[in-house]
């Protein structure tokens, strides 16, 4: 008697879902390699027309503007190529800094000079001719590989796309942050120039409307007193007393103005005592903790002094606080100034307040402003400045 294996009963098992032979990353790399020669050929034609036409037109007044306009265009093409590399190769490359703003009064020639010396545009113009040769070579090798060497396609696509990744990083990415750093320094210089001009206008306005007006009134008062000296000595004495009071007011205004330019206590005793003097004039009780064992450079002291002074003014005017605290200390090669209060909070440097101006001033000297101010408080503002020793 023979036994037979029982047949399975029940509904038939469904087939497994179909799966692609290659991963999505491999297909993206193949799509990038297969389309690169088309992009490169179009960009190369654009560059050749731009270069030759610009060279011919350089004999006329429109030559340099034509070259600058073409360089702006090739810079934009480079941005599209970076986006294509992100989408198909998964390559994350930072965008280069935009063209630096022209200097005040530069106008058309400032734009022309900034554009023609743009390293991003010139490196992008070099990228496409270099990559065109490689793109054609990989395309020629890719077509037969799809039919003959398809089991090796993931490794072939990865190896070939690594060359493209290296070219994109070398020619289409910021050069080690140097261009970004240059743009930040140029923006900082513009901010410093604007701040200096605003300070000069403020000093001129304070002198014209304050001390100068009082001195003019004082001269007139003394002139009238001189005329009445013989005819009415009592009236002349009263007028001299009034002139004496005007002199005191003018001296007080000049003293306040000098303190606003650069206080004497900051020069004589340093940042800690100068901030203690500022805190004593604040309408909110302020405690100052000075942990500096040495004094920084005078320029850093001045920036730190005016930064904390303005922050304490904001505490007095807008915070609704009952107490505040100022701390200053050195951390390595940085000077840290910390101002905190128990007020209502909500301070925001992006809302067009004076905090935005403070942040710009600090950024101009490699500093920064960190604000933590939730609604309801408390508020803490930390100003960070580079430490430079006194010479």
């Amino acid at each position: 008697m023979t036994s037979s294996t029982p047949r399975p009963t029940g509904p038939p098992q469904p087939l497994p879902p179909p799966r692609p032979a290659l991963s999505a990353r491999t297909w993206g790399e193949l799509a990038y390699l297969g389309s690169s020669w088309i992009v490169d050929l179009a960009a190369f034609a654009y560059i050749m027309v731009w270069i030759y036409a610009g060279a011919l037109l350089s004999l006329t007044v429109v030559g340099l503007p034509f070259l600058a306009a073409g360089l702006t265009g090739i810079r934009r093409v480079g941005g599209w190529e970076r986006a294509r590399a992100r989408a198909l190769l998964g390559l994350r490359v930072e965008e280069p800094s935009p063209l630096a703003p022209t200097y005040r009064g530069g106008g058309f020639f400032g734009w022309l000079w900034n554009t023609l010396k743009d390293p991003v545009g010139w490196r992008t113009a070099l990228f496409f001719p270099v990559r065109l040769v490689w793109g054609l070579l990989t395309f020629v090798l890719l077509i037969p590989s799809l039919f003959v060497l398809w089991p090796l396609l993931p490794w072939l696509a990865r190896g070939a796309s690594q060359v493209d990744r290296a070219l994109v990083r070398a020619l289409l990415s910021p050069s080690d942050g140097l261009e970004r750093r240059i743009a930040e320094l140029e923006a900082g210089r513009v901010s410093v120039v604007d701040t200096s001009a605003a300070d000069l206008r403020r000093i001129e306005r304070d002198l014209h409307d304050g001390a100068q007006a009082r001195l003019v009134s004082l001269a007139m008062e003394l002139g009238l007193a001189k005329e009445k000296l013989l005819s009415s000595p009592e009236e002349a004495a009263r007028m001299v007393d009034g002139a004496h009071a005007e002199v005191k007011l003018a001296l007080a205004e000049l003293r306040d103005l000098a303190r606003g330019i650069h206080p004497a206590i900051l020069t004589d005793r340093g940042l800690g005592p100068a901030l203690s003097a500022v805190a004593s004039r604040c309408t909110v009780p302020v405690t100052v903790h000075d942990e500096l064992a040495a004094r920084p450079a005078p320029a850093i002291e001045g920036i730190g002094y005016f930064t904390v002074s303005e922050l304490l003014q904001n505490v007095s005017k807008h915070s609704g606080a009952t107490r505040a605290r100022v701390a200053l200390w050195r951390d390595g090669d940085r000077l840290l100034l910390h101002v905190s209060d128990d007020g209502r909070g909500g301070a925001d440097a992006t809302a067009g307040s004076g905090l935005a101006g403070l942040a710009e001033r600090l950024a101009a000297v490699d500093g920064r402003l960190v604000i933590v101010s939730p609604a309801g408080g408390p508020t803490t503002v930390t100003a960070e400045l580079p430490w430079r020793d006194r010479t």
Side-chain angles (χ1 to χ4, degrees), residues 321-374:
T322 59
R323 64 181 182 274
R325 180 178 182 271
V326 175
L328 55 155
W329 70 96
R330 178 181 179 180
D331 184 8
D333 61 347
R334 310 296 284 180
L335 170 64
L336 297 177
L337 306 166
H338 186 82
V339 179
S340 60
D341 66 74
D342 61 351
R344 64 177 64 94
D348 186 6
T350 63
S353 62
L355 294 175
L358 277 181
E360 290 178 358
R361 293 188 186 187
L362 294 178
V365 292
D366 281 345
R368 62 173 183 160
L369 193 72
V370 180
I371 303 171
V372 180
S373 182

Side-chain angles (χ1 to χ4, degrees), residues 33-386:
L33 295 171
S35 59
S36 289
W37 71 275
I38 303 175
V39 176
D40 297 338
L41 191 61
F44 181 75
Y46 171 87
I47 292 171
M48 289 298 101
V49 172
W50 162 56
I51 292 291
Y52 281 113
L56 292 175
L57 291 174
S58 62
L59 302 176
T60 66
V61 294
V62 299
L64 292 179
F66 183 83
L67 285 175
L71 202 61
T72 302
I74 199 65
R75 201 183 210 268
R76 181 164 298 181
V77 175
W80 297 337
E81 182 61 24
R82 283 187 292 273
R84 197 169 74 94
R86 280 194 297 270
L88 298 178
L89 298 182
L91 179 61
R92 302 295 175 184
V93 177
E94 290 188 14
E95 292 294 322
S97 300
L99 281 173
T102 57
Y103 305 128
R104 182 176 286 103
F108 172 76
F109 292 103
W111 167 82
L112 184 64
W113 172 244
N114 281 340
T115 305
L116 289 177
K117 68 183 181 70
D118 175 31
V120 176
W122 289 111
R123 285 194 287 109
T124 305
L126 178 63
F127 170 81
F128 289 104
V130 171
R131 222 265 305 267
L132 176 60
V133 179
W134 173 249
L136 290 173
L137 178 61
T138 54
F139 181 75
V140 170
L141 296 177
L142 184 64
I143 296 301
S145 299
L146 289 172
F147 302 97
V148 180
L149 301 175
W150 63 267
L152 301 178
L153 272 180
W155 291 271
L156 293 175
R158 178 58 53 85
S161 63
Q162 286 297 91
V163 178
D164 288 86
R165 289 184 175 93
L167 287 174
V168 171
R169 289 192 185 99
L171 296 176
L172 295 185
S173 62
S175 57
D176 299 329
L178 178 60
E179 294 154 13
R180 194 177 303 278
R181 180 65 177 152
I182 291 173
E184 290 174 355
L185 290 176
E186 289 181 343
R189 180 168 60 179
V190 172
S191 175
V192 169
V193 172
D194 291 342
T195 301
S196 300
D199 289 340
L200 288 175
R201 288 194 299 270
R202 176 182 60 81
I203 293 171
E204 180 184 7
R205 183 180 63 251
D206 291 343
L207 286 173
H208 183 272
D209 297 340
Q212 181 180 346
R214 290 194 180 277
L215 290 175
V216 170
S217 175
L218 171 63
M220 296 176 62
E221 192 80 8
L222 289 175
L224 292 174
K226 182 180 178 180
E227 292 180 358
K228 293 182 176 293
L229 186 60
L230 297 178
S231 60
S232 180
E234 296 81 3
E235 182 70 14
R238 186 186 61 79
M239 296 177 71
V240 169
D241 288 339
H244 185 249
E246 287 289 331
V247 169
K248 290 183 178 180
L249 291 175
L251 287 175
E253 290 185 358
L254 288 174
R255 191 161 45 245
D256 293 339
L257 182 60
R259 186 185 297 118
I261 297 173
H262 195 85
I265 189 174
L266 180 62
T267 303
D268 298 336
R269 300 179 57 189
L271 188 57
L275 292 181
S276 297
V278 173
S280 66
R281 298 192 298 269
C282 187
T283 58
V284 176
V286 181
T287 57
V288 178
H289 297 271
D290 180 12
E291 300 179 11
L292 293 180
R295 294 178 61 179
I300 300 300
E301 273 191 339
I303 295 174
Y305 173 83
F306 289 111
T307 298
V308 175
S309 297
E310 188 159 343
L311 291 175
L312 290 180
Q313 287 182 12
N314 289 341
V315 171
S316 299
K317 295 178 182 177
H318 309 298
S319 69
T322 59
R323 64 181 182 274
R325 180 178 182 271
V326 175
L328 55 155
W329 70 96
R330 178 181 179 180
D331 184 8
D333 61 347
R334 310 296 284 180
L335 170 64
L336 297 177
L337 306 166
H338 186 82
V339 179
S340 60
D341 66 74
D342 61 351
R344 64 177 64 94
D348 186 6
T350 63
S353 62
L355 294 175
L358 277 181
E360 290 178 358
R361 293 188 186 187
L362 294 178
V365 292
D366 281 345
R368 62 173 183 160
L369 193 72
V370 180
I371 303 171
V372 180
S373 182
T379 296
T380 61
V381 182
T382 303
E384 183 179 324
L385 288 164

